[in-house]
Amino acid sequence: MRVCMIGTGYVGLVTGACLAEIGHDVWCVDVDEKKIQMLQQGNIPIYEPGLEEIVKRNLSQNRLRFTTNLEEGLENSLFVFIAVGTPPNGDGSADLNFVFDVAEKIGQIMKSYKIVVTKSTVPVGTTSKIKGILSETLSNRKESFLDFDVAFCPEFLKEGSAIEDFMKPDRIVIGTENARTAEFLKELFAPFVMKENRILCMSIPSAELTKYAANAMLATRISFMNELARYCEKVGADIEEVRSGMGSDSRIGSAFLYAGIGYGGSCFPKDVKALIHSAKAKGQDLSILQAVEETNKTQGDWFSKKILDHFNNDLVGRKFAVWGLSFKPHTDDMREAPSITILSALADHGATFRAFDPVAMDNARAFLGDRYIEYCSDCYETLEGCDSLVLLTEWPLFRRPDLDRMKSLLKEPVIFDGRNQYNPKVLQKMGFIYISVGRDINQPN
Ligand code: NAD
């Protein structure tokens, strides 16, 4: 089946590549000429394990093509996916301009029946507006006879394991207005659920809300644990022990119960905001989510304060080694990474840094600049001449470091661990001052 994927970012590129991998004929379209040129040569603009191999293989077998020409992409494609960004507006609502712009362009160009499927995360009612834009544009062209259907299929992939998530999904949600469109989409996605049918068909508004609800639930678990971690420190409890105690309850489960420095990335922060905003517009306060957002907003400051407290609020002349910059491991994505707020807060107090991230260094430079950060090529190199270490992203590489070597390289054996990667008892026994999240007894804050 021929597919046109509009928007070749994290979602569009992974979706397009995986659809090609199982045999569909895919055209990926993007307005970013540089990105398209790179992709045409088999070079991948993002870090995503396993993606390069799939793109190269399908490019060489002509099942995957990249273009800036929408007309070329649309021609003969039955399915047209919209996978462009929906960044937050200043008031927290989702900016839908990219989505609506694409819908208008499809309406201006299409020449035959299309199923227009939105994959971007959008508020309830957006797919219906897309339908309106398509109808209006076709009517302006005086070609209202051209038939189309709309659908909404949210994307649940996680950056860092996107290929695995897409190829073996927990579920595929298909939101349609009629059975015919649902049947077409079921056929398109059938190869991904051959072992077990995990396709859930529902109405478009339910599908639109499902995506926000899933992200909001995951964000809620994170903020819940972060708030509990703060309380743990006041009462001498250990959040890691609490986590395993509560997570082993099968009604709760162990996923997404890690305390840390707050959620980031291009999805959770913006999706929680957008859901709060769109519910409010309908007169519905989502007070739980407002609290989730508030806790997340202050979690980085709470962690920075631990560092400031340790140095009596004076970081002038202090240099910190930083391990990890991306918003989570296995990705180079720096969007809304907690490292941005934490490092800039510490820099405001005079701190400078030597930082290392296994894959996000180039993106980090674009976000953080190099005014107060030196970028190093190895995690031990960062420690040279530094007063202490701040661990911000839990890359596996940082899990079992050479602690003796670390101690000999740091000026003072102090570790601030924003991801609870180490055993406090082991570190304390080795003479480290180890400050982590929800495990530091008798902290004044
Ligand atoms: P992205 O910023 O990585 O990619 C968006 C792409 O769309 C860019 O390459 C941009 O150049 C392109 N684009 C913009 N306008 C265009 C146009 N008129 N025509 C063609 N291309 C155009 O974004 P992303 O992370 O892939 O996210 C896309 C959507 O998917 C968002 O709504 C996001 O919330 C949602 N989503 C993202 C993830 C994730 O992990 N990144 C997961 C699930 C859902």
Side-chain angles (χ1 to χ4, degrees):
M1 294 166 118
R2 190 170 146 148
V3 177
C4 173
M5 184 66 53
I6 308 176
T8 311
Y10 283 86
V11 167
L13 180 56
V14 169
T15 307
C18 291
L19 286 171
E21 178 74 358
I22 50 108
H24 295 304
D25 182 14
V26 182
W27 283 77
C28 288
V29 182
D30 205 289
V31 285
D32 185 335
E33 285 179 19
K34 218 168 119 198
K35 190 182 267 189
I36 290 298
Q37 271 168 18
M38 272 181 86
L39 286 163
Q40 283 167 339
Q41 285 152 24
N43 298 319
I44 311 297
I46 54 171
Y47 173 83
E48 189 57 55
L51 181 59
E52 185 169 354
E53 199 186 318
I54 295 184
V55 168
K56 285 204 159 110
R57 181 167 46 245
N58 287 282
L59 256 180
S60 72
Q61 292 171 7
N62 285 329
R63 278 195 304 270
L64 184 61
R65 297 176 185 85
F66 296 98
T67 180
T68 52
N69 184 344
L70 182 58
E71 205 164 347
E72 198 176 23
L74 280 186
E75 205 184 342
N76 301 323
S77 287
L78 171 61
F79 299 97
V80 183
F81 281 84
I82 301 178
V84 295
T86 48
N89 285 312
D91 62 0
S93 60
D95 178 351
L96 300 172
N97 283 323
F98 297 108
V99 171
F100 292 151
D101 184 43
V102 167
E104 195 177 336
K105 289 206 172 93
I106 297 169
Q108 286 162 353
I109 293 172
M110 62 184 265
K111 294 191 181 103
S112 56
Y113 172 71
K114 306 282 172 216
I115 297 175
V116 179
V117 190
T118 304
K119 240 197 185 309
S120 304
T121 304
V122 294
V124 176
T126 305
T127 308
S128 164
K129 287 183 187 156
I130 291 171
K131 185 178 174 186
I133 292 171
L134 285 164
S135 299
E136 198 186 320
T137 318
L138 288 171
S139 149
N140 290 345
R141 273 173 60 186
K142 312 231 172 328
E143 293 189 283
S144 299
F145 57 87
L146 276 176
D147 194 15
F148 69 90
D149 278 297
V150 290
F152 180 77
C153 289
E155 182 48 60
F156 297 105
L157 62 78
K158 302 181 286 297
E159 288 175 21
S161 57
I163 301 294
E164 173 85 5
D165 294 340
F166 200 93
M167 298 304 270
K168 295 180 197 157
D170 286 343
R171 77 303 204 189
I172 293 173
V173 170
I174 294 179
T176 57
E177 290 181 321
N178 57 51
R180 173 179 72 161
T181 316
E183 285 310 312
F184 271 123
L185 282 162
K186 278 200 234 169
E187 203 184 324
L188 181 80
F189 289 122
F192 299 101
V193 289
M194 280 174 79
K195 212 163 141 196
E196 194 182 335
N197 187 5
R198 289 158 181 259
I199 292 182
L200 304 173
C201 292
M202 56 182 77
S203 73
I204 289 177
S206 299
E208 288 171 327
L209 187 52
T210 295
K211 173 63 194 172
Y212 278 111
N215 276 359
M217 185 68 205
L218 296 171
T220 301
R221 285 170 76 105
I222 295 171
S223 278
F224 178 74
M225 292 309 284
N226 283 338
E227 210 165 46
L228 274 189
R230 299 187 201 183
Y231 178 55
C232 279
E233 294 192 359
K234 293 195 194 272
V235 293
D238 179 333
I239 193 68
E240 293 304 324
E241 291 176 352
V242 175
R243 176 177 65 78
S244 52
M246 64 186 276
S248 53
D249 184 327
S250 61
R251 292 168 304 174
I252 297 171
S254 58
F256 275 80
L257 288 183
Y258 291 90
I261 50 177
Y263 57 77
S266 68
C267 292
F268 288 4
K270 87 169 169 60
D271 291 350
V272 169
K273 280 192 189 83
L275 182 52
I276 292 171
H277 188 279
S278 42
K280 203 175 213 132
K282 292 284 177 199
Q284 181 63 54
D285 270 339
L286 299 180
S287 56
I288 294 174
L289 284 186
Q290 283 163 13
V292 165
E293 200 199 1
E294 188 53 33
T295 298
N296 195 60
K297 239 189 330 200
T298 52
Q299 189 67 8
D301 296 339
W302 175 81
F303 184 69
S304 305
K305 188 172 177 300
K306 280 165 165 278
I307 300 173
L308 282 160
D309 286 346
H310 181 81
F311 293 107
N312 295 320
N313 276 321
D314 184 8
L315 301 184
V316 176
R318 296 264 174 210
K319 190 171 270 194
F320 294 87
V322 180
W323 284 7
L325 295 165
S326 55
F327 86 91
K328 66 171 189 177
H330 309 290
T331 180
D332 61 353
D333 199 344
M334 283 292 295
R335 293 179 284 185
E336 303 252 1
S339 63
I340 299 169
T341 42
I342 292 172
L343 298 188
S344 50
L346 299 177
D348 284 346
H349 285 83
T352 56
F353 310 97
R354 284 166 66 77
F356 171 73
D357 186 287
V359 301
M361 302 283 265
D362 287 344
N363 283 348
R365 233 184 230 107
F367 276 83
L368 294 160
D370 43 21
R371 200 161 47 87
Y372 50 80
I373 307 183
E374 280 171 72
Y375 296 90
C376 300
S377 52
D378 158 66
C379 57
Y380 293 103
E381 192 192 322
T382 60
L383 304 170
E384 289 165 17
C386 283
D387 292 286
S388 55
L389 166 67
V390 183
L391 190 152
L392 297 179
T393 316
E394 67 277 33
W395 282 93
L397 173 69
F398 304 145
R399 261 182 221 158
R400 286 289 172 271
D402 180 341
L403 292 167
D404 288 317
R405 189 170 167 202
M406 286 166 71
K407 209 171 160 198
S408 71
L409 288 168
L410 282 168
K411 280 206 238 165
E412 293 171 34
V414 184
I415 298 178
F416 299 96
D417 180 358
R419 302 293 185 175
N420 288 355
Q421 293 296 284
Y422 309 122
N423 182 331
K425 287 198 183 92
V426 172
L427 268 86
Q428 275 152 15
K429 210 165 153 198
M430 287 188 67
F432 279 97
I433 296 173
Y434 179 61
I435 296 170
S436 53
V437 177
R439 301 188 291 177
D440 301 328
I441 297 164
N442 297 329
Q443 284 287 314
N445 42 352

